[in-house]
Amino acid sequence: MKLLICQLRQTRSAWKSSFTTLALIGLLSACDASEKLAPATYDCYVVNDVSRTHPNRAQLQALLDRKVRQGVPGMLLSVRDQAGTEWLGAAGVADLYNQIPLKPCNITRVGSTVKTFTAVTVLMLYDEGLLDLDDLIGKYLPHSLLSKLDNGSTVTIRQLLNHSSGLFNYIQNLQFQTASLNELTKEWSAKELLAYAYGQKAYFAPGTDVRYSNTNYILLGMLIEQITHKPFYAVFEQKLFLPLGLTSTSFAARNPVPRSIIRGYADIYNDLNVIETTYYSGWDYYTADGGLLSNPHDMAVFLHALFGGKLLKASTLQEAMQWEEPSKQEADGFKTAFGLGFFKIETPYGIAYQHSGDAIGYYARMLYFPEKKATVVYATNGNYGRIDPLVSSKEATNEILEAVFK
């Protein structure tokens, strides 16, 4: 794999979907040397790691090694069973320029997986009696903001959580796509991002269908702040990160680009000549629709706590799993239903509750299999172009699950 360390400038493009892919048309210019970093920059450890004695260690490591040979810069994987036995592995590099190997405990960007954390925090506030899921969001947020959003004054908290609001997804505004790609290191505020949804037609009337929209979760972050009078990420820390011991998990607003974060890479040319994109994800540093920093180990701990009944009342968790199916399924994806903050997908290895996430140069996916009470969480420091089919496609997910469950 070759590496181009470049600044992206004067680009014009389109985000092909609200989930993942980036298509750039334009110029790559001003190639610069990356930072000189010592291996100790990426030092980390996991307490009581038993991966070396795990019975499936050989086939799991072989999977990661194969992905790297195919062109993924680096890949992290956690596989955890009902008893809590966990295999942690890594392959590839944390830093191509400095040729530093990836470690299983390294931190990375995990993008929209934060939406599950956001949703769980809202549901915890519901358990505390501080809101009702069928309250209009207008009970908590100002009319001056919501009146600019088609459906904004008529959607409920539940409809924001399960993407049945119909609210326009700001990421799909072509003006936002151009603006964000022309200023890839810009750090955006929530109000700046919401402005790209103002005046845009809703996809459908609230509650009549489901369609993924990042706009929903910006509003939910604002809701958390309005109720608690704290930054939403401080509430994450109070209710989730600290109680669960998620020592490798933080939100980007505290430190947008930690020195120890693994470098991100994007295959812009669709030929595995990747460019470094570590500093190119600034639009979600301060909003609850993205911006999470973590690793597969911590994400697995969170999933087991959630679906093990340690975070929410049993009745609330069941309410979160009242599934809504979209009127149109993605032709090349898993059959999917929408819950409150996560999705149900049908895989060859059983039902899974899951969420995935993207940032420029990063991808992550976390899955919980209720019948097996097992988690599979993986993350990569590369995406787009020829890398996406290797890590985020249905076929890639099935390949990973086959190595885990065969």
Side-chain angles (χ1 to χ4, degrees), residues 140-154:
Y140 305 92
L141 301 184
H143 176 74
S144 59
L145 182 155
L146 296 175
S147 63
K148 299 174 185 177
L149 297 168
D150 193 17
N151 286 2
S153 299
T154 56

Side-chain angles (χ1 to χ4, degrees), residues 42-60:
Y42 302 98
D43 279 352
C44 61
Y45 67 93
V46 174
V47 177
N48 299 324
D49 186 5
V50 298
S51 301
R52 292 182 180 180
T53 60
H54 195 282
N56 294 335
R57 61 190 182 280
Q59 68 196 48
L60 294 172

Side-chain angles (χ1 to χ4, degrees), residues 117-266:
F117 290 76
T118 303
V120 169
T121 301
V122 171
L123 294 171
M124 293 174 90
L125 297 175
Y126 168 58
D127 278 347
E128 294 167 20
L130 298 177
L131 58 85
D132 190 279
L133 296 181
D134 293 313
D135 285 341
L136 294 176
I137 191 64
K139 181 177 178 179
Y140 305 92
L141 301 184
H143 176 74
S144 59
L145 182 155
L146 296 175
S147 63
K148 299 174 185 177
L149 297 168
D150 193 17
N151 286 2
S153 299
T154 56
V155 296
T156 66
I157 294 170
R158 187 189 306 274
Q159 290 164 346
L160 296 174
L161 287 166
N162 69 4
H163 296 285
S164 66
S165 70
L167 290 175
F168 179 81
N169 188 353
Y170 73 86
I171 283 180
Q172 292 190 324
N173 187 319
L174 294 178
Q175 290 180 321
F176 168 72
Q177 294 165 13
T178 300
S180 63
L181 289 168
N182 282 335
E183 293 187 81
L184 282 162
T185 59
K186 174 180 168 65
E187 297 183 5
W188 297 73
S189 71
K191 289 184 178 180
E192 286 177 306
L193 295 174
L194 280 179
Y196 288 97
Y198 292 163
Q200 300 293 322
K201 184 175 176 57
Y203 299 124
F204 46 78
T208 61
D209 203 348
V210 285
R211 177 167 171 165
Y212 191 92
S213 175
N214 287 274
T215 306
N216 294 325
Y217 276 74
I218 289 185
L219 296 179
L220 289 169
M222 291 178 165
L223 170 69
I224 293 169
E225 295 184 339
Q226 181 65 29
I227 289 175
T228 65
H229 307 291
K230 298 176 182 177
F232 67 84
Y233 48 86
V235 184
F236 291 172
E237 293 164 0
Q238 175 189 348
K239 293 184 176 295
L240 297 172
F241 301 170
L242 293 173
L244 295 177
L246 306 184
T247 57
S248 296
T249 301
S250 63
F251 195 79
R254 292 289 195 200
N255 184 4
V257 188
R259 192 164 178 80
S260 61
I261 193 171
I262 62 177
R263 308 292 97 173
Y265 303 96

Side-chain angles (χ1 to χ4, degrees), residues 293-348:
L293 309 173
S294 191
N295 63 20
H297 169 74
D298 273 13
M299 295 164 76
V301 171
F302 167 70
L303 285 184
H304 275 272
L306 172 59
F307 295 111
K310 296 180 180 179
L311 299 178
L312 302 172
K313 293 178 180 178
S315 58
T316 300
L317 184 57
Q318 285 303 309
E319 200 161 0
M321 293 188 284
Q322 298 299 308
W323 307 108
E324 299 286 343
E325 292 192 10
S327 58
K328 184 178 181 180
Q329 295 278 347
E330 290 188 35
D332 58 351
F334 295 101
K335 184 178 180 182
T336 302
F338 290 55
L340 304 185
F342 49 88
F343 305 93
K344 180 181 72 172
I345 63 172
E346 299 180 12
T347 82

